[in-house]
Amino acid sequence: MAVKGRGRVVCVCLALASGGLVQAARADDAAGGNTPVLSPEDQASGDDTVRHEDRKEEHIHVTARRLDQARAALQPAIGATQTNFSRKAIEANPGADNASLNSILLQAPGVTQDSYGQIHIRGDHNNVQFRLDGVALPEGVNVFGQALMTRFAHSMSLTTGVLPAEYGFRQAGVIDIQTKNGVSDEGGTLSGYGGVRDYVQPSIQYGGHWGKWDGFITADAIHNRVGIENTTPSYDAIHDLSNQYHVLGHLRYTLRPETRFSLTAGLSNAWYQLPNNPGQQHQFATPLFKADNRPVQEDAPDSAHLDEHQQQITDFAILSWQEDHEKVSAQTSAILRYSSMRYSPDWLGDLVYNGIAQQAARSVFSSGVQSDVTWRVSRAHTVRGGVQAYSERAVSKSNSQVYPVDEEGNINLHPMTVHDSSGKTGALYGAYLQDEWHLTRSLVLNGGVRFDGVEEYVHAHQLSPRVSLVWTPWHGGRFHVGYARYLTPPPFETVGTTSLNRFAGTSAAPANYQNDRVKAERDNYYDIGFMQQITRNWHVGLDAYWKQAKNLIDEGQFGAPVILTAYNYRRGHVRGVELTTDYSTGPLTLYGNLAVSKAMGKDINSAQWNFDTDDLHYMRNHWVHLDHDQLITASAGGSYAFFYRTHHPLQLSGTMVYGSGLRKDKQMGDETIPNGTHVPQYVTFNLGLVQTLKHEAWLGGHTMQLRLDVLNLFDRRYMLRDGSGIGVGAPQYGLRRSVMGGVSLSL
């Protein structure tokens, strides 16, 4: 049976053994099992109007809850590894709704922190799928952050391992956000949050229902000087201003108890200064700088005074139609998403330090459809099937200033301009069919097959079997084992399209001109795990996985614009083990995760021009660690609510993140080993304190929350990147101690 949430980071479900039992319960709900029934006392009440309104209100809540459960049952995580974050868990995280989604996901097992706000799940770079209420969002070109806001999530889950056949294209992890709505999250909240480094974050949210309609909307604005990780260990970064705006909304119409339509839409606009790294050596000098009226260092501006910017925009909309009947449930959605990124260089500074100053822009527009159907054939069999299809248009443009270089290698210090642009229209499509078969009361076999295809820069297709076996031999104990075949298309928006010949004979000429097209990755994935309920409140889980990859996809930053470029290793493998535990009783919740992982690749066989010739030769003959490989990752945390039975509870919470260090190059005499060692290990602690005041007379019946958060409590200086390694553009350091505070008031 499905394990319900318990406190801070709710149970890590190493095997959701009985999705069918859950589905059967939901089928009973659909038949009217949870329809509110009035007691004789209620029926005898003299206030017919009040009684009618109570019945109507309860019916709205029951119908919404039943349809939500039916939607979730369309995509169960049978045999996979799933971590669930309830609304209580999100609110207990330091920062709560003001924190990024990534800060919460770092508390799940196997999730590794990286620079530019990125995370890696089970040794993969990117390859993460975001879903809103079960509907997959096409990928965008955002690098520094996410367009989705934590305050939009009623709850969310992270699913990894051997995924059932309904999940395709991006399979390292599926992050499904159950959005807030006007029924479960009725009412409004106005809040202000801020702190050190000019951090200001006002926000507002409101939800309500009106007859057959319900809706929820939230908006916030963020201004701070910590938009991107600092390039130095100093407390304040140089040139790191950021302004961000987000709006997300959800509107639903319940035509009848079995039918509902919904529209989910959002927009995000974020602008960043790129932090400067002072004291860098320039490669070129030019008389132009003498007339630039900026600080000079040997006829060039100091790298501390560069002025680079990047803007990221994301807009999306999802229109869904849901049906839920006794034997059949279905949801069909139409999806639109636009995402763009624009980099503005320091024209003179980038030219002197890099030999190229490039104004770059990338965008991708996606439209598609997703449809999922569940047929409850019998008690023993539940059949699921569906399709996904997307049309995508990617555009890349750049204007570059470079120095001409003659055949003898002499540099002409009068720059020239190189224009480059490209566009491509492509498609992704997939279909699946699977059967959840209850062999016995304690043994479930979930088997299926998925067919995927990609017609973009690469043309590939694959028929992928998926099978998992879940065994519940005794109360509270659960084993699972599974195998999946995966096809992972290269991210459309990160495939490099530079016309290399245009830069021949310039200061931006590549080290080599080999540029094989990025290929689709094909994997064999194995997973085995066990979860045991030790006591009513204490759970322990262990999970092991192994991935064999052909044309393993990785991504890196090459050049000044912070744009990720995809490339392949001809062979790759990822192996790991995860240990999890959680304990919850009354006002106390504790959890901990420990993950050991090793991700290796061999022989770069696409986009080779981005790499040094010596590195290419070394990797052709040796296995190397992926740049985002981290041997040991751990997280832990807990919360305790003082006075939790009163109207003024005081919650104290804390989280911890440990990393043994991402990879960097290793120098051995005259030889450099790519990703041969790792940056120093680190550990950080965050602390949160929240005082809630409910129904106080001076508040007029409203609820107020006062919040104090301390991030990196002990002000540890730690490095995420040192600037070396495959596809690593610059050094980055973790956030120094930050004291934040906030107040929110219910409307």
Side-chain angles (χ1 to χ4, degrees):
M1 65 180 62
V3 182
K4 295 182 179 179
R6 296 180 302 280
R8 176 59 186 86
V9 170
V10 292
C11 170
V12 178
C13 302
L14 293 181
L16 296 179
S18 304
L21 296 180
V22 175
Q23 180 58 56
R26 290 167 183 158
D28 291 341
D29 292 345
N34 282 343
T35 302
V37 178
L38 296 179
S39 66
E41 292 79 9
D42 290 335
Q43 296 176 24
S45 170
D47 193 343
D48 293 338
T49 301
V50 174
R51 186 168 68 249
H52 173 74
E53 290 300 323
D54 289 345
R55 289 200 304 268
K56 182 179 179 181
E57 186 77 11
E58 188 172 358
H59 177 73
I60 290 173
H61 281 267
V62 169
T63 300
R65 184 170 61 250
R66 180 180 55 77
L67 288 172
D68 289 344
Q69 292 173 341
R71 181 191 60 217
L74 290 169
Q75 300 160 344
I78 303 169
T81 302
Q82 189 171 76
T83 306
N84 295 297
F85 299 87
S86 66
R87 169 69 356 209
K88 180 181 177 182
I90 294 171
E91 291 177 351
N93 185 69
D97 283 343
N98 303 291
S100 67
L101 283 175
N102 283 357
S103 69
I104 298 173
L105 293 169
L106 286 174
Q107 302 304 310
V111 181
T112 301
Q113 178 181 205
D114 200 351
S115 57
Y116 300 138
Q118 299 177 85
I119 57 172
H120 305 291
I121 300 176
R122 288 195 167 188
D124 267 281
H125 192 128
N126 205 341
N127 198 18
V128 178
Q129 178 179 153
F130 282 89
R131 292 191 170 209
L132 293 177
D133 296 323
V135 182
L137 273 178
E139 287 186 290
V141 296
N142 289 341
V143 177
F144 298 140
Q146 293 157 339
L148 302 175
M149 306 149 56
T150 302
R151 70 182 75 257
F152 195 47
H154 179 82
S155 62
M156 66 179 180
S157 63
L158 169 62
T159 306
T160 60
V162 171
L163 303 179
E166 66 259 26
Y167 299 108
F169 305 136
R170 300 286 169 253
Q171 292 112 169
V174 178
I175 300 167
D176 195 351
I177 299 172
Q178 291 76 53
T179 60
K180 290 181 179 178
N181 59 74
V183 177
S184 302
D185 305 279
E186 188 175 9
T189 302
L190 180 66
S191 67
Y193 189 73
V196 298
R197 304 182 189 87
D198 298 342
Y199 200 107
V200 179
Q201 184 179 2
S203 65
I204 188 171
Q205 60 183 35
Y206 181 79
H209 58 85
W210 315 271
K212 294 184 177 183
W213 294 86
D214 73 89
F216 183 88
I217 189 169
T218 181
D220 73 5
I222 301 174
H223 169 89
N224 60 42
R225 296 189 180 278
V226 288
I228 306 173
E229 287 83 5
N230 197 344
T231 58
T232 73
S234 62
Y235 186 81
D236 292 309
I238 303 172
H239 195 260
D240 200 11
L241 182 67
S242 173
N243 290 305
Q244 306 170 45
Y245 310 93
H246 310 89
V247 179
L248 290 168
H250 190 56
L251 183 65
R252 305 190 300 189
Y253 175 70
T254 304
L255 179 64
R256 53 180 180 266
E258 302 82 18
T259 306
R260 183 168 65 186
F261 298 91
S262 63
L263 173 65
T264 304
L267 60 91
S268 169
N269 192 331
W271 178 87
Y272 301 89
Q273 290 179 336
L274 270 62
N276 293 331
N277 190 12
Q280 299 301 297
Q281 284 290 324
H282 64 270
Q283 300 184 44
F284 305 90
T286 171
L288 292 174
F289 284 107
K290 295 180 179 179
D292 193 40
N293 295 321
R294 291 190 290 182
V296 296
Q297 175 186 336
E298 298 180 8
D299 298 333
D302 186 342
S303 57
H305 296 88
L306 300 181
D307 187 23
E308 302 165 328
H309 306 87
Q310 192 150 309
Q311 183 182 27
Q312 299 177 169
I313 297 174
T314 296
D315 304 315
F316 71 87
I318 301 171
L319 180 63
S320 298
W321 167 35
Q322 182 186 354
E323 291 282 344
D324 179 43
H325 300 275
E326 183 177 358
K327 289 289 186 180
V328 178
S329 298
Q331 178 172 274
T332 298
S333 302
I335 307 112
L336 295 174
R337 177 166 182 166
Y338 171 79
S339 178
S340 69
M341 187 285 305
R342 298 178 184 275
Y343 170 79
S344 299
D346 184 303
W347 285 105
L348 297 177
D350 282 16
L351 191 59
V352 167
Y353 284 97
N354 303 316
I356 178 174
Q358 184 177 83
Q359 184 181 62
R362 284 191 186 180
S363 65
V364 58
F365 177 79
S366 304
S367 60
V369 63
Q370 176 182 325
S371 184
D372 301 281
V373 180
T374 294
W375 176 27
R376 294 173 283 277
V377 181
S378 65
R379 288 183 176 271
H381 291 277
T382 299
V383 176
R384 296 180 174 89
V387 296
Q388 286 176 275
Y390 302 97
S391 174
E392 300 184 300
R393 173 69 179 176
V395 176
S396 177
K397 298 179 181 180
S398 68
N399 292 314
S400 305
Q401 290 274 311
V402 294
Y403 293 121
V405 180
D406 62 25
E407 295 181 357
E408 286 74 30
N410 299 314
I411 300 174
N412 183 342
L413 294 181
H414 295 280
M416 59 179 287
T417 301
V418 176
H419 302 282
D420 195 10
S421 64
S422 64
K424 182 73 173 178
T425 300
L428 289 173
Y429 52 89
Y432 70 92
L433 183 67
Q434 65 182 0
D435 179 22
E436 177 188 334
W437 182 11
H438 289 252
L439 301 170
T440 68
R441 291 177 61 89
S442 61
L443 194 62
V444 179
L445 176 68
N446 192 56
V449 64
R450 181 179 181 93
F451 179 81
D452 289 308
V454 53
E455 306 294 337
E456 294 176 337
Y457 290 107
V458 63
H459 302 278
H461 59 270
Q462 179 174 286
L463 190 66
S464 305
R466 313 272 181 93
V467 61
S468 61
L469 188 65
V470 182
W471 179 39
T472 310
W474 54 75
H475 177 72
R478 191 171 299 126
F479 292 88
H480 79 273
V481 61
Y483 164 79
R485 180 74 172 159
Y486 292 144
L487 175 71
T488 304
F492 195 32
E493 66 283 353
T494 65
V495 175
T497 58
T498 302
S499 302
L500 299 183
N501 290 332
R502 298 186 182 214
F503 293 93
T506 74
S507 54
N512 65 81
Y513 288 84
Q514 189 174 2
N515 190 22
D516 293 338
R517 187 64 69 195
V518 181
K519 306 167 182 62
E521 178 180 328
R522 303 175 189 270
D523 303 325
N524 291 306
Y525 198 103
Y526 308 87
D527 189 282
I528 185 170
F530 171 70
M531 186 185 73
Q532 177 63 53
Q533 179 177 341
I534 306 298
T535 68
R536 180 180 178 182
N537 304 311
W538 181 22
H539 307 80
V540 176
L542 182 66
D543 197 85
Y545 59 90
W546 176 29
K547 182 177 85 169
Q548 294 175 310
K550 178 182 178 182
N551 297 323
L552 184 147
I553 296 174
D554 203 351
E555 297 176 18
Q557 181 210 339
F558 305 96
V562 186
I563 304 174
L564 298 181
T565 299
Y567 58 93
N568 296 103
Y569 289 92
R570 183 173 57 85
R571 298 172 59 192
H573 61 74
V574 184
R575 302 167 184 169
V577 178
E578 297 169 354
L579 175 65
T580 67
T581 184
D582 68 88
Y583 177 84
S584 178
T585 179
L588 176 66
T589 299
L590 301 170
Y591 68 91
N593 306 299
L594 176 66
V596 179
S597 176
K598 187 176 182 180
M600 307 288 289
K602 183 178 182 180
D603 190 10
I604 301 289
N605 62 351
S606 64
Q608 296 93 332
W609 69 274
N610 292 289
F611 302 90
D612 180 87
T613 303
D614 291 338
D615 287 348
L616 285 174
H617 177 75
Y618 182 90
M619 291 183 287
R620 188 173 299 117
N621 300 289
H622 300 83
W623 287 89
V624 297
H625 293 268
L626 306 187
D627 70 281
H628 54 270
D629 181 33
Q630 182 165 270
L631 179 62
I632 301 174
T633 303
S635 61
S639 65
Y640 186 85
F642 300 91
F643 322 117
Y644 75 105
R645 296 185 183 274
T646 71
H647 285 171
H648 51 274
L650 176 64
Q651 179 174 268
L652 176 66
S653 62
T655 61
M656 180 276 290
V657 173
Y658 167 83
S660 60
L662 301 174
R663 308 304 296 187
K664 67 174 184 177
D665 290 344
K666 182 178 182 179
Q667 199 68 35
M668 294 187 65
D670 296 332
E671 184 180 23
T672 299
I673 299 178
N675 298 340
T677 186
H678 60 84
V679 301
Q681 63 181 351
Y682 66 91
V683 60
T684 60
F685 297 86
N686 302 324
L687 190 67
L689 188 66
V690 180
Q691 176 66 68
T692 302
L693 303 171
K694 298 181 180 179
H695 310 304
E696 302 289 347
W698 60 278
L699 289 174
H702 298 282
T703 298
M704 175 181 285
Q705 278 194 343
L706 304 175
R707 171 177 294 278
L708 176 66
D709 299 309
V710 184
L711 310 180
N712 195 353
L713 179 64
F714 301 109
D715 198 23
R716 295 291 301 271
R717 302 185 183 190
Y718 64 100
M719 177 186 292
L720 294 172
R721 297 288 193 178
D722 77 338
S724 72
I726 301 171
V728 179
Q732 275 104 23
Y733 289 80
L735 184 68
R736 298 285 299 275
R737 179 164 54 215
S738 299
V739 180
M740 314 292 287
V743 58
S744 64
L745 181 68
S746 65
L747 302 177

